[in-house]
């Protein structure tokens, strides 16, 4: 095992370091999806990922839900549906 030469605790800095070829990073799929799809980043090894589970929106109930919260929930669900984000974020991307 090689000793690390740099350790980063900021996801954006870690993402940029990986894009610059400075090493291997464990990053969230939503943050790096474009770079995986356009070839700027690649999965190592291709069949592996750390699945942290579902992305969820949580709120008390639909009763008396503020309009801005309802608009946000509708926007997120429509964006996921339209852009097929659930499929694109799936752990089997690139297999």
């Amino acid at each position: 095992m090689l000793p690390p030469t740099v350790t980063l605790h900021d996801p954006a800095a870690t993402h940029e370091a990986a894009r610059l070829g400075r090493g291997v990073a464990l990053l969230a799929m939503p943050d790096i999806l474009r770079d995986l799809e356009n070839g700027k980043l690649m999965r190592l090894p291709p069949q592996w990922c750390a699945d942290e589970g579902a992305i969820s929106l949580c709120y008390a109930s639909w009763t008396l839900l503020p309009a801005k919260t309802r608009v946000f929930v509708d926007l997120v669900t429509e964006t996921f549906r339209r852009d097929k984000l659930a499929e694109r974020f799936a752990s089997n991307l690139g297999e």
Side-chain angles (χ1 to χ4, degrees), residues 28-39:
M29 186 64 76
D31 296 337
I32 62 168
L33 183 61
R34 277 201 184 102
D35 286 337
L36 286 173
E37 290 177 340
N38 66 26

Side-chain angles (χ1 to χ4, degrees), residues 33-90:
L33 183 61
R34 277 201 184 102
D35 286 337
L36 286 173
E37 290 177 340
N38 66 26
K40 291 182 181 176
L41 291 175
M42 59 187 277
R43 295 176 82 167
L44 296 174
Q47 304 293 323
W48 185 87
C49 78
D51 188 354
E52 292 297 323
I55 298 172
S56 301
L57 293 173
C58 300
Y59 46 88
S61 74
W62 285 113
T63 307
L64 302 176
L65 187 68
K68 61 185 174 185
T69 303
R70 176 58 193 243
V71 168
F72 176 73
V73 170
D74 291 345
L75 171 70
V76 171
T77 54
E78 177 54 30
T79 301
F80 263 72
R81 190 175 299 118
R82 181 192 66 228
D83 296 344
K84 298 182 170 56
L85 293 179
E87 294 87 346
R88 292 171 64 203
F89 290 169

